[in-house]
Amino acid sequence: MNAPSITTSSAEETQVPSRFNLQAALKDAFKTALITLALSIPILSYKTEQNGGELFLASRWWLVAAVVGIIFVLRVLEHAFLATKASRKALPDPHQATEPVHAEPSAYQKVSRFAIPLFLGVALSFPLLVYLVQGGLNESRYFVDLGILILTYVMLGWGLNIVVGLAGLLDLGYVAFYAVGAYSYALLSTTFGLSFWICLPLAGILAAFWGMILGFPVLRLRGDYLAIVTLAFGEIIRLVLINWVDLTNGGAGISSIPRATFFGVPFTSGDDGFAALFGLDFNAMHRYIFLYYLILGLALLTNFVTMRLRRLPIGRAWEALREDEIACRSLGINTTNTKLTAFAIGAMFGGFAGSFFAVRQGFVSPESFNFLESAIILAIVVLGGMGSQIGVAIAAIVLVGGPEMLRNLTFLKAVFGENFDPNEYRLLLFGAGMVAMMVWRPRGLISEREPSVILKERKAISGSLVKEGHG
Amino acid sequence: MDIFVQQLINGLTLGSIYGLIAIGYTMVFGIIGMVNFAHGDVFMLSAFIALIFFLILTTWLGISSVALALLIVLVIAMVLTSLWGWAIERIAYRPLRGSFRLAPLISAIGVSIFLSNFVQVAQGARNKPTPPMVRDVIVLFQGESGYNVALSYKQIIIMLTTAVLLTVFWYLVQKTSLGRAQRACEQDRKMAALLGINVDRTISLTFVIGAALAAVAGTMYLLNYGVVSFNDGFVPGVKAFTAAVLGGIGSLPGAVLGGLIIGLIETFWSAYFSIEYKDVAAFSILAIVLIFMPSGILGRPEVEKV
């Protein structure tokens, strides 16, 4: 499986002309446009419309012409860009020959020195900043909600990072544990009336328990096989949630889940409510800001536990397992227990995030836990650079916040007409973006890793030296 | 007995479709060791291509012979879907070859999300029903309870087309120089390249063949169910992958065998147990097979190299 890479790069890559050759570029762009034309027949050129029970076709050749035209121009621009880049590269860099091997701290180390306090500061003061910018509590609702959403994914990303980034076990069904956490809180609170603060640890324990149950049979599997089996488990849990109507109320979901309380004090306008207790005017936003700090706290807890675990023997065993399982076994590490703890601890944080999700929404249904969610979380981990905590946070902001920005692009309606809904294109662009990011940086945004153990001085480990685990 | 025979026929029909998709998975996994996650969506896309061309041929060009229309649709769908398969490999997978192992998988998931949403945006989110293309059935025998066990023409068409195309592609892989190049790349890509095989071209052709067979499956799916929607790619895709794993990944006869077994299990499970849990059954089989028999029925056991 791990065949060394063969340098059979395609023609364009090896024969990049040092000067921009307009004729060749146009010829190539013409070819690309021709292929695009063929690809868009018939899926773009004809739209199937329904009229009663009958299907009929509507032509849209103008759309095909536009797409082909755009592709043609983009391809020419790409050639021009590559040519300028290549000609710049051809000039020798004065520092090239004399550059020592380990001189400067790497870009990652430089960035991490400022980035971590900066991120933490912005995250902690985010509601205040939004309040100041938007000029009111009610106006800042949208941004606080977006912050909560992003932080939920940051937490999920950090949780999955334990399994994928540290232990090197590829898990495509992480959303199952998120679902277990959410349903644990939903069911425990609606049937037994338990409060959020009792349910939160219980949801974590239940999710960890499920992590062990699902982890146990798949221990022998490696790599892509493990990915597919975890995907299957994720789907099984979702299908059971849909079909076990007696317990879960099926596809209709569970509604009217009790809201979060401020350690027992409810966010109501009554005399015993949060606002009255602290002598504030009642505002529904108090609850959202509390939820924001709750998820921030949970996410930071995840991060803190992960950072600490990396220094413990178990964390070192995870990383050793990721680097080389056979060497691990020959050194006497119990790989079964190591993998199971990774699954269980990763699942536990998924469960915490799930019960937070339930308390925030007040409603859970199986449709919130489909494969796309798992794919988004895994994409966050991989794009962040597996194992890098700050990278995961950046990737979550880009992948969750970016598509969310699309909702606000209402000015595009002026360009494309009234029927244009940018929201429809959210997942389309998300998928294309995932491919583009992988092609651009296959090892993620921050591919360098900080060593867990250091002798004398701290050096970053370049991404090209890091292995990614086999299963 | 009568229900049993009827379900056997239905299961074999469904199994043929799964088998055709499974070949795409198994060939790609064999040659570059990646799970082509987008393959299920390529299958869905091909069903849409087939649907649109079927409408063009019957309503605009007025071809009244269903057999002729189906044949033309099949050929066009195969050609266009192959082009999609080629383009996907060229854009999303080739730049990542020889890179970090997870990268192509993530890229494939991206392609899968892109394709299903592309079809949703281009064709709308609603189910697309077609008028039944082939209605005739042959009544085989009447059961005790007055239940007719029937073999429909469309089931015959599906099974026959599958059998014929499988034979053709099997010949292609086993007997031609392309097939030899493919098997050589499967064993050792570096050595194959040293011996003058154009590895990139061979891998591209693998994707093209896989997509062409997915197009056959898509057309047959449309013929069988008469309805297709943009999210129809995921579940058949995972089931076909299950079939490929069950038969032994990397093995072509294994993929078909696995497809037939999965199809049979699914129809019998729906008939005798519960229809709600049929997907759970299929996914559980995947897990069970991988845990107890990771090399599948006809696969070679993987040797762990140190």
Side-chain angles (χ1 to χ4, degrees):
Chain A
M1 292 303 133
N2 279 326
S5 62
I6 313 158
T7 46
T8 48
S9 49
S10 53
E12 298 103 299
E13 283 158 54
T14 44
Q15 306 166 353
V16 177
S18 54
R19 276 175 55 241
F20 179 50
N21 183 344
L22 183 69
Q23 201 182 357
L26 284 179
K27 203 171 148 195
D28 184 66
F30 181 69
K31 260 193 253 167
T32 321
L34 213 60
I35 292 168
T36 319
L37 177 68
L39 288 181
S40 47
I41 299 172
I43 210 85
L44 267 185
S45 61
Y46 298 109
K47 183 169 165 47
T48 46
E49 303 274 10
Q50 216 160 345
N51 180 12
E54 289 276 298
L55 278 184
F56 67 95
L57 294 173
S59 303
R60 290 188 299 193
W61 286 102
W62 54 269
L63 181 66
V64 175
V67 168
V68 168
I70 291 169
I71 296 283
F72 181 82
V73 172
L74 282 181
R75 188 71 176 169
V76 173
L77 287 179
E78 188 197 345
H79 271 280
F81 174 73
L82 285 179
T84 37
K85 204 172 152 192
S87 63
R88 209 175 292 153
K89 221 179 213 173
L91 296 170
D93 183 2
H95 302 294
Q96 217 165 31
T98 52
E99 195 179 3
V101 186
H102 287 297
E104 293 283 303
S106 69
Y108 164 68
Q109 279 169 316
K110 272 187 208 159
V111 166
S112 67
R113 199 176 301 155
F114 306 107
I116 290 167
L118 184 77
F119 266 92
L120 202 61
V122 170
L124 280 173
S125 57
F126 182 72
L128 185 71
L129 288 177
V130 172
Y131 175 74
L132 291 176
V133 171
Q134 296 285 317
L137 273 180
N138 295 321
E139 286 79 5
S140 53
R141 162 96 197 254
Y142 171 75
F143 285 96
V144 173
D145 258 349
L146 183 60
I148 293 174
L149 185 71
I150 290 176
L151 279 175
T152 314
Y153 279 95
V154 170
M155 176 168 180
L156 287 168
W158 278 340
L160 184 60
N161 205 2
I162 296 174
V163 186
V164 178
L166 292 185
L169 304 163
L170 184 52
D171 187 349
L172 270 181
Y174 192 63
V175 80
F177 308 124
Y178 190 40
V180 167
Y183 269 86
S184 306
Y185 174 61
L187 289 171
L188 287 173
S189 65
T190 48
T191 28
F192 299 111
L194 297 179
S195 83
F196 176 71
W197 295 101
I198 297 172
C199 289
L200 184 70
L202 283 180
I205 291 168
L206 280 171
F209 180 66
W210 274 98
M212 303 243 283
I213 292 180
L214 300 191
F216 199 71
V218 300
L219 287 173
R220 286 167 45 200
L221 302 173
R222 334 177 99 226
D224 293 349
Y225 284 134
L226 181 77
I228 298 296
V229 172
T230 47
L231 181 153
F233 277 137
E235 283 297 299
I236 288 174
I237 291 219
R238 190 174 67 88
L239 289 167
V240 169
L241 287 179
I242 291 176
N243 290 311
W244 194 357
V245 180
D246 296 338
L247 181 74
T248 64
N249 198 19
I254 301 173
S255 50
S256 63
I257 299 169
R259 295 264 168 93
T261 55
F262 185 76
F263 305 102
V265 183
F267 288 93
T268 53
S269 53
D271 285 339
D272 52 353
F274 174 80
L277 187 73
F278 287 87
L280 300 165
D281 289 332
F282 172 73
N283 191 317
M285 276 305 293
H286 292 154
R287 191 168 66 86
Y288 291 102
I289 292 173
F290 173 67
L291 284 176
Y292 176 84
Y293 281 108
L294 178 61
I295 187 65
L296 181 62
L298 284 172
L300 289 178
L301 176 78
T302 313
N303 187 21
F304 179 75
V305 171
T306 313
M307 302 299 268
R308 289 280 122 189
L309 279 175
R310 275 186 71 179
R311 283 167 177 72
L312 288 179
I314 183 69
R316 292 187 191 165
W318 287 339
E319 286 188 283
L321 191 69
R322 175 189 72 204
E323 300 296 316
D324 196 330
E325 184 171 346
I326 295 165
C328 235
R329 253 185 276 156
S330 26
L331 288 172
I333 292 174
N334 184 340
T335 50
T336 311
N337 286 353
T338 313
K339 285 182 181 178
L340 275 184
T341 41
F343 257 105
I345 293 177
M348 182 181 76
F349 288 115
F352 287 157
S355 76
F356 174 80
F357 173 80
V359 83
R360 180 179 85 108
Q361 301 285 87
F363 169 74
V364 286
S365 87
E367 284 318 301
S368 311
F369 308 105
N370 53 22
F371 169 68
L372 186 66
E373 293 294 312
S374 282
I376 291 175
I377 303 168
L378 184 69
I380 286 173
V381 174
V382 174
L383 281 181
M386 298 199 320
S388 160
Q389 298 290 88
I390 189 82
V392 168
I394 297 172
I397 293 170
V398 171
L399 280 186
V400 181
E404 204 59 35
M405 287 295 127
L406 268 181
R407 285 187 205 275
N408 304 328
L409 298 179
T410 39
F411 68 87
L412 286 175
K413 278 199 173 151
V415 184
F416 294 101
E418 268 307 302
N419 291 326
F420 183 79
D421 179 13
N423 211 15
E424 266 182 26
Y425 298 85
R426 209 162 59 93
L427 283 172
L428 184 79
L429 290 178
F430 179 80
M434 240 161 113
V435 176
M437 289 264 231
M438 274 296 118
V439 172
W440 173 53
R441 289 202 77 130
R443 284 185 174 274
L445 295 171
I446 294 181
S447 56
E448 287 169 339
R449 284 199 184 134
E450 211 162 322
S452 314
V453 189
I454 45 171
L455 176 75
K456 289 178 188 160
E457 66 172 319
R458 194 170 277 276
K459 288 175 197 158
I461 304 165
S462 145
S464 51
L465 293 175
V466 181
K467 285 199 183 155
E468 70 274 8
H470 301 276
Chain B
M1 179 60 195
D2 42 356
I3 293 180
F4 179 83
V5 175
Q6 185 67 63
Q7 295 305 334
L8 189 69
I9 295 169
N10 296 347
L12 288 177
T13 315
L14 188 61
S16 316
I17 296 175
Y18 287 155
L20 284 169
I21 312 174
I23 290 178
Y25 279 109
T26 219
M27 284 200 310
V28 167
F29 194 92
I31 200 160
I32 51 176
M34 79 172 257
V35 179
N36 181 11
F37 217 90
H39 195 59
D41 294 280
V42 171
F43 154 77
M44 177 274 301
L45 184 79
S46 76
F48 265 90
I49 293 176
L51 168 70
I52 293 171
F53 269 98
F54 190 78
L55 284 175
I56 292 177
L57 288 178
T58 50
T59 57
W60 288 1
L61 299 179
I63 295 179
S64 52
S65 153
V66 175
L68 181 66
L70 267 181
L71 191 69
I72 299 174
V73 163
L74 188 66
V75 171
I76 292 177
M78 281 171 80
V79 170
L80 287 178
T81 314
S82 306
L83 192 62
W84 272 97
W86 176 83
I88 289 169
E89 194 271 338
R90 183 69 190 76
I91 294 168
Y93 305 149
R94 191 182 292 183
L96 295 172
R97 199 165 299 152
S99 144
F100 171 56
R101 193 182 49 96
L102 271 181
L105 185 75
I106 301 291
S107 183
I109 293 173
V111 173
S112 163
I113 294 174
F114 174 81
L115 280 182
S116 61
N117 285 283
F118 171 68
V119 172
Q120 186 190 358
V121 168
Q123 298 292 336
R126 295 172 68 178
N127 279 354
K128 302 288 174 188
T130 52
M133 302 172 196
V134 185
R135 288 166 191 272
D136 301 317
V137 294
I138 307 170
V139 175
L140 291 182
F141 60 87
Q142 200 165 36
E144 306 96 73
S145 50
Y147 177 83
N148 283 338
V149 174
L151 177 64
S152 64
Y153 274 35
K154 66 183 181 191
Q155 286 173 322
I156 299 175
I157 296 175
I158 291 170
M159 286 191 248
L160 267 184
T161 316
T162 309
V164 169
L165 284 171
L166 280 182
T167 323
V168 170
F169 279 98
W170 188 79
Y171 176 82
L172 200 68
V173 171
Q174 289 296 316
K175 305 284 179 193
T176 61
S177 62
L178 163 69
R180 268 196 299 280
Q182 214 172 41
R183 281 176 288 142
C185 291
E186 216 167 287
Q187 286 188 357
D188 191 334
R189 251 194 286 163
K190 197 172 198 172
M191 194 64 210
L194 289 175
L195 291 175
I197 291 171
N198 187 338
V199 177
D200 273 342
R201 207 178 122 247
T202 313
I203 293 174
S204 278
L205 277 168
T206 309
F207 274 86
V208 164
I209 293 175
L213 286 172
V216 180
T219 314
M220 296 301 131
Y221 181 87
L222 191 69
L223 179 66
N224 197 25
Y225 292 102
V227 61
V228 63
S229 106
F230 74 96
N231 55 14
D232 273 356
F234 179 68
V235 171
V238 176
K239 282 183 191 158
F241 182 77
T242 310
V245 170
L246 179 62
I249 202 141
S251 147
L252 288 191
V256 181
L257 184 68
L260 292 177
I261 293 174
I262 293 289
L264 286 173
I265 289 173
E266 193 183 319
T267 42
F268 279 110
W269 187 281
S270 311
Y272 291 105
F273 299 102
S274 75
I275 196 157
E276 287 88 23
Y277 285 99
K278 70 180 165 82
D279 290 352
V280 175
F283 292 137
S284 308
I285 290 162
L286 172 65
I288 292 167
V289 169
L290 277 178
I291 292 158
F292 293 107
M293 206 170 44
S295 52
I297 300 171
L298 297 177
R300 286 183 301 267
E302 199 180 323
V303 184
E304 197 171 335
K305 285 178 199 156
V306 181

